[in-house]
Amino acid sequence: MMAKLDRNVTSDLVERIMAHISYQSAIAEPTANYQYLLPDGSYLTLQDVSLNDQRALVFVSIVPVSRPNRTVSFVLTRPRTLSQAGPWFSGWTDRQLRSARKGLAYAVRFAYANNDDDRLKGAFLIDPYAAPGSYGRRSASGPDGAVPSR
Protein backbone atom coordinates (compact mmCIF):
# COMPACT_ATOMS: atom_id res chain seq x y z
CA MET A 1 0.00 0.00 0.00
CA MET A 2 1.33 3.43 -0.95
CA ALA A 3 1.88 6.00 1.78
CA LYS A 4 -0.44 9.00 1.77
CA LEU A 5 0.45 12.47 2.92
CA ASP A 6 -2.09 14.38 4.99
CA ARG A 7 -3.88 17.11 3.00
CA ASN A 8 -2.94 19.86 5.49
CA VAL A 9 0.70 18.77 5.52
CA THR A 10 0.71 18.73 1.71
CA SER A 11 -0.80 22.22 1.53
CA ASP A 12 1.77 23.56 4.01
CA LEU A 13 4.64 21.92 2.10
CA VAL A 14 3.40 23.39 -1.19
CA GLU A 15 3.43 26.93 0.24
CA ARG A 16 6.89 26.44 1.74
CA ILE A 17 8.33 24.93 -1.45
CA MET A 18 6.85 27.76 -3.53
CA ALA A 19 8.53 30.29 -1.22
CA HIS A 20 11.88 28.51 -1.73
CA ILE A 21 11.39 28.34 -5.50
CA SER A 22 10.60 32.04 -5.62
CA TYR A 23 13.66 32.89 -3.53
CA GLN A 24 16.02 30.64 -5.50
CA SER A 25 14.81 31.83 -8.88
CA ALA A 26 15.44 35.44 -7.86
CA ILE A 27 19.14 34.72 -7.41
CA ALA A 28 19.89 31.80 -9.75
CA GLU A 29 19.66 31.17 -13.47
CA PRO A 30 18.32 27.93 -14.84
CA THR A 31 19.54 25.21 -15.18
CA ALA A 32 19.64 24.01 -11.60
CA ASN A 33 18.50 20.89 -9.78
CA TYR A 34 16.93 20.98 -6.35
CA GLN A 35 15.72 18.28 -3.99
CA TYR A 36 13.25 19.13 -1.25
CA LEU A 37 13.30 16.88 1.79
CA LEU A 38 9.83 15.48 2.52
CA PRO A 39 8.63 14.42 6.01
CA ASP A 40 9.40 10.70 5.50
CA GLY A 41 12.93 11.38 4.25
CA SER A 42 12.07 11.03 0.58
CA TYR A 43 12.88 13.74 -1.96
CA LEU A 44 10.88 15.92 -4.30
CA THR A 45 13.25 16.57 -7.20
CA LEU A 46 12.88 19.73 -9.25
CA GLN A 47 14.74 20.86 -12.34
CA ASP A 48 14.57 24.58 -13.20
CA VAL A 49 15.19 24.63 -16.96
CA SER A 50 14.79 26.74 -20.05
CA LEU A 51 12.62 25.10 -22.74
CA ASN A 52 12.20 26.81 -26.11
CA ASP A 53 12.82 30.28 -24.65
CA GLN A 54 10.39 29.59 -21.82
CA ARG A 55 11.37 28.82 -18.24
CA ALA A 56 9.94 25.63 -16.76
CA LEU A 57 9.98 23.70 -13.52
CA VAL A 58 10.12 19.97 -14.12
CA PHE A 59 9.25 17.78 -11.15
CA VAL A 60 10.58 14.23 -11.37
CA SER A 61 10.47 11.21 -9.10
CA ILE A 62 11.79 7.69 -9.02
CA VAL A 63 9.05 5.11 -9.25
CA PRO A 64 10.04 1.76 -7.71
CA VAL A 65 9.40 -0.22 -10.91
CA SER A 66 11.44 2.17 -13.07
CA ARG A 67 14.57 2.51 -10.92
CA PRO A 68 16.99 4.18 -11.65
CA ASN A 69 15.00 6.21 -14.21
CA ARG A 70 12.97 9.20 -13.08
CA THR A 71 9.37 9.84 -14.06
CA VAL A 72 8.08 13.35 -14.74
CA SER A 73 5.19 14.04 -12.37
CA PHE A 74 4.50 17.68 -13.21
CA VAL A 75 5.78 20.46 -15.49
CA LEU A 76 5.08 24.09 -14.72
CA THR A 77 5.89 26.82 -17.24
CA ARG A 78 5.86 30.56 -16.70
CA PRO A 79 2.96 32.38 -18.29
CA ARG A 80 4.10 33.72 -21.67
CA THR A 81 2.73 37.16 -20.76
CA LEU A 82 5.30 37.49 -17.96
CA SER A 83 9.06 37.90 -18.02
CA GLN A 84 10.99 34.64 -18.13
CA ALA A 85 13.59 36.08 -15.75
CA GLY A 86 13.35 36.76 -12.05
CA PRO A 87 11.40 35.11 -9.26
CA TRP A 88 8.81 32.46 -9.98
CA PHE A 89 5.17 33.31 -9.16
CA SER A 90 5.75 37.07 -9.19
CA GLY A 91 2.90 38.76 -11.09
CA TRP A 92 0.85 35.56 -11.43
CA THR A 93 -2.93 35.78 -11.24
CA ASP A 94 -4.87 33.99 -8.49
CA ARG A 95 -6.02 31.44 -11.06
CA GLN A 96 -2.44 30.76 -12.22
CA LEU A 97 -1.29 30.38 -8.60
CA ARG A 98 -4.14 27.96 -7.80
CA SER A 99 -3.18 25.86 -10.81
CA ALA A 100 0.50 25.87 -9.77
CA ARG A 101 -0.41 24.84 -6.20
CA LYS A 102 -2.59 22.01 -7.47
CA GLY A 103 0.16 20.63 -9.73
CA LEU A 104 2.84 21.02 -7.08
CA ALA A 105 0.62 19.24 -4.53
CA TYR A 106 0.33 16.33 -6.97
CA ALA A 107 4.13 16.24 -7.42
CA VAL A 108 4.66 16.24 -3.63
CA ARG A 109 2.15 13.41 -3.12
CA PHE A 110 3.68 11.48 -6.04
CA ALA A 111 7.24 11.67 -4.64
CA TYR A 112 6.02 10.86 -1.12
CA ALA A 113 3.91 7.88 -2.21
CA ASN A 114 6.80 6.45 -4.24
CA ASN A 115 9.28 7.02 -1.40
CA ASP A 116 11.83 8.61 -3.72
CA ASP A 117 14.98 8.19 -1.65
CA ASP A 118 17.48 8.64 -4.50
CA ARG A 119 19.83 11.55 -3.82
CA LEU A 120 20.60 13.30 -7.12
CA LYS A 121 24.30 14.07 -7.40
CA GLY A 122 24.94 17.81 -7.66
CA ALA A 123 21.42 18.85 -6.65
CA PHE A 124 20.86 21.40 -3.93
CA LEU A 125 19.25 19.72 -0.91
CA ILE A 126 16.65 21.96 0.70
CA ASP A 127 14.62 21.52 3.85
CA PRO A 128 11.31 23.23 3.05
CA TYR A 129 10.78 23.89 6.78
CA ALA A 130 13.93 26.02 6.89
CA ALA A 131 13.85 29.67 5.88
CA PRO A 132 14.46 30.32 2.17
CA GLY A 133 18.19 30.75 1.67
CA SER A 134 19.16 28.06 4.20
CA TYR A 135 20.78 25.22 2.27
CA GLY A 136 22.11 21.82 3.15
CA ARG A 137 24.67 19.79 1.29
CA ARG A 138 24.84 20.13 -2.49
CA SER A 139 25.14 16.39 -2.98
CA ALA A 140 25.77 13.29 -0.95
CA SER A 141 29.45 13.44 -1.84
CA GLY A 142 29.87 17.05 -2.97
CA PRO A 143 30.78 20.27 -1.23
CA ASP A 144 28.42 22.40 0.79
CA GLY A 145 26.15 24.12 -1.68
CA ALA A 146 25.00 27.66 -2.12
CA VAL A 147 22.75 28.85 -4.88
CA PRO A 148 24.87 29.91 -7.85
CA SER A 149 24.90 33.63 -8.43
CA ARG A 150 23.97 35.31 -11.71
Side-chain angles (χ1 to χ4, degrees):
M1 182 173 174
M2 296 177 109
K4 288 188 114 182
L5 195 58
D6 178 79
R7 175 178 265 169
N8 292 329
V9 172
T10 302
S11 180
D12 182 53
L13 274 170
V14 165
E15 293 303 319
R16 291 173 182 275
I17 291 169
M18 286 177 74
H20 279 278
I21 292 169
S22 182
Y23 173 82
Q24 293 151 2
S25 61
I27 62 171
E29 293 284 339
T31 312
N33 294 315
Y34 303 97
Q35 285 188 304
Y36 295 91
L37 188 61
L38 299 179
D40 66 345
S42 60
Y43 303 109
L44 171 65
T45 303
L46 157 67
Q47 299 167 331
D48 188 351
V49 298
S50 188
L51 298 172
N52 300 325
D53 297 325
Q54 192 172 12
R55 200 155 172 190
L57 298 176
V58 181
F59 295 87
V60 296
S61 180
I62 290 218
V63 178
V65 296
S66 68
R67 247 180 220 282
N69 300 321
R70 295 182 186 277
T71 301
V72 174
S73 61
F74 178 58
V75 176
L76 179 64
T77 57
R78 284 191 197 242
R80 289 198 181 272
T81 57
L82 297 176
S83 169
Q84 297 301 303
W88 274 89
F89 313 117
S90 179
W92 289 37
T93 65
D94 288 342
R95 182 178 180 195
Q96 291 165 333
L97 288 170
R98 275 193 308 275
S99 178
R101 284 184 187 103
K102 183 178 178 182
L104 182 52
Y106 176 80
V108 166
R109 289 190 307 269
F110 188 84
Y112 183 85
N114 287 298
N115 193 27
D116 183 353
D117 61 354
D118 186 52
R119 187 74 178 92
L120 183 64
K121 185 177 179 180
F124 293 100
L125 178 59
I126 300 167
D127 177 357
Y129 291 100
S134 305
Y135 297 102
R137 299 200 45 90
R138 183 175 173 92
S139 71
S141 60
D144 285 340
V147 173
S149 61
R150 288 184 186 219

